[in-house]
Amino acid sequence: MSGPKSILITGGNGNIARLLANRLLKDNHRVTCLDITEPQSESTVAGVDYVTADICDEATIESTLKSKKTEIIFHLASLLSGSSEIDRRRAFDVNALATFNLFEMALANGLPSIIFPGTGASYGSDVPSILPENHPQWPENIYGVTKVANERLGVYYKLKHGLDFRCLRPPLVLSPYAPPAALTAYASHAYVAAAKGETFTFPVSRNIGMSTIYIEDLVEGFVQLAFAPKNKLRQHAYNLHALCPTAQEIADSIQKVKPDFQYNFKSDPIVEALLTTAPNVFVDSSARKDWDWRPISDLDACTAAVFKLIGEQ
């Protein structure tokens, strides 16, 4: 790394943003987190500057970029899939229009690098089990549509206007912070239940799994991509993958740490349908070659990391 940078994280009160801020502070970067909600005392990070603003508030965003002399933006702010379907217009404003405005402001304010999270939802449901890096993207929800639009827009600004745009597409994220309503996040929910001593019902068959990554590895991936030399990057967007555990393998791994963990299986057709059409592997060979991406790929090591993170909350 070439010395401390001034960094802005949008969607800055989220759990990934909090972990990312902590990670960046370890390298002495100057971090500002911007979010529409006031930061809560239990989730704030010492040493971070917080700005409360809607991502659609162009004046505040631009004044923040100028006052902080921002050099790198991690653009995490978005309306997630469920909320996006409920209010499509708001989803377009937050997920697409605000990103267009951010790109324009970046051009006008020193061309900071923009690191953007794509999503597996951008591919739609008709995908191969082993998903190639440049597989066609045909999303089936408004969230995925806006993500693809932002990817294409970012590449346009990169090729036409010199913006340093970099994109990651993570698979399912294994995290103690997964929202309870997130249907495909049953693995994350199982770890939380085990930590609480609760019985857990897996909503899928024993042999169901999908491409997965541990949340702190995702954060590390963001940092590695952000600081990778530009001349090493052969892709506009990079897939990430770590492992593909089945529900039974997750239960077995949890029991190695929590022998009293009680669980059962009751397949939910909706959840099962989502998982059976999801890729088992996001091919990520370019990330491994271009910027030495090396996630935790052993399930038991991942389990230990999740329980350690739960204990640190």
Side-chain angles (χ1 to χ4, degrees), residues 155-186:
V155 173
Y156 160 76
Y157 276 91
K158 176 182 178 180
L159 299 178
K160 189 74 173 179
H161 299 288
L163 181 66
D164 188 0
F165 173 82
R166 307 180 182 195
C167 176
L168 283 186
R169 298 189 198 115
L172 181 70
V173 178
L174 189 57
S175 159
Y177 312 117
L183 296 178
T184 58
Y186 65 86

Side-chain angles (χ1 to χ4, degrees), residues 189-201 254 260-263:
H189 301 155
Y191 283 96
V192 173
K196 294 179 178 178
E198 299 172 352
T199 299
F200 183 75
T201 298
I254 290 174
D260 296 332
F261 175 54
Q262 299 294 311
Y263 66 91

Side-chain angles (χ1 to χ4, degrees), residues 23-308:
R23 172 63 183 82
L24 293 167
L25 288 172
K26 289 180 181 178
D27 290 330
N28 298 314
H29 299 296
R30 302 180 299 280
V31 180
T32 300
C33 285
L34 182 145
D35 204 294
I36 193 170
T37 60
E38 292 279 352
Q40 301 301 306
S41 58
E42 65 272 12
S43 61
T44 56
V45 177
V48 169
D49 290 333
Y50 286 91
V51 176
T52 302
D54 190 321
I55 192 63
C56 298
D57 180 353
E58 295 179 56
T60 301
I61 304 299
E62 185 155 30
S63 68
T64 301
L65 293 178
K66 289 179 177 178
S67 65
K68 301 296 183 181
K69 296 181 172 59
T70 303
E71 298 167 273
I72 299 173
I73 302 168
F74 290 91
H75 183 35
L76 309 186
S78 70
L79 207 63
L80 298 181
S81 56
S83 301
S84 294
E85 289 301 317
I86 292 170
D87 189 343
R88 295 186 298 277
R89 184 174 297 278
R90 175 65 175 165
F92 186 82
D93 287 345
V94 171
N95 295 357
L97 184 57
T99 302
F100 167 79
N101 292 335
L102 186 64
F103 290 156
E104 284 290 318
M105 285 184 272
L107 293 187
N109 291 278
L111 285 172
S113 300
I114 295 182
I115 317 304
F116 179 75
T119 173
S122 66
Y123 291 106
S125 60
D126 187 17
V127 295
S129 177
I130 299 177
L131 185 70
E133 291 179 293
N134 294 313
H135 189 77
Q137 295 169 286
W138 291 106
E140 298 173 2
N141 58 35
I142 190 68
Y143 173 71
V145 167
T146 57
K147 285 288 189 176
V148 173
N150 289 339
E151 284 192 30
R152 299 297 181 270
L153 195 62
V155 173
Y156 160 76
Y157 276 91
K158 176 182 178 180
L159 299 178
K160 189 74 173 179
H161 299 288
L163 181 66
D164 188 0
F165 173 82
R166 307 180 182 195
C167 176
L168 283 186
R169 298 189 198 115
L172 181 70
V173 178
L174 189 57
S175 159
Y177 312 117
L183 296 178
T184 58
Y186 65 86
S188 297
H189 301 155
Y191 283 96
V192 173
K196 294 179 178 178
E198 299 172 352
T199 299
F200 183 75
T201 298
F202 286 86
V204 294
S205 305
R206 296 173 183 269
N207 63 343
I208 288 289
M210 67 180 295
S211 179
T212 301
I213 184 175
Y214 171 54
I215 187 171
E216 289 190 308
D217 278 346
L218 172 58
V219 166
E220 189 63 29
F222 274 123
V223 174
Q224 289 179 5
L225 177 59
F227 289 95
K230 188 186 299 187
N231 62 0
K232 297 289 187 181
L233 303 181
R234 299 173 300 142
Q235 298 278 120
H236 301 307
Y238 288 87
N239 286 354
L240 298 184
H241 171 81
L243 65 167
C244 181
T246 65
Q248 183 64 66
E249 288 170 340
I250 290 167
D252 292 343
S253 186
I254 290 174
Q255 282 195 325
K256 291 177 183 178
V257 180
K258 304 284 186 180
D260 296 332
F261 175 54
Q262 299 294 311
Y263 66 91
N264 53 66
F265 295 90
K266 185 178 180 181
S267 179
D268 181 325
I270 295 176
V271 181
E272 190 111 351
L274 291 171
L275 271 292
T276 53
T277 58
N280 290 335
V281 176
F282 278 32
V283 174
D284 62 353
S285 53
S286 289
R288 293 172 186 268
K289 182 175 182 180
D290 290 2
W291 38 278
D292 201 31
W293 161 246
R294 294 293 184 274
I296 297 174
S297 57
D298 176 80
L299 178 57
D300 289 342
C302 191
T303 293
V306 173
F307 280 125
K308 181 176 184 292

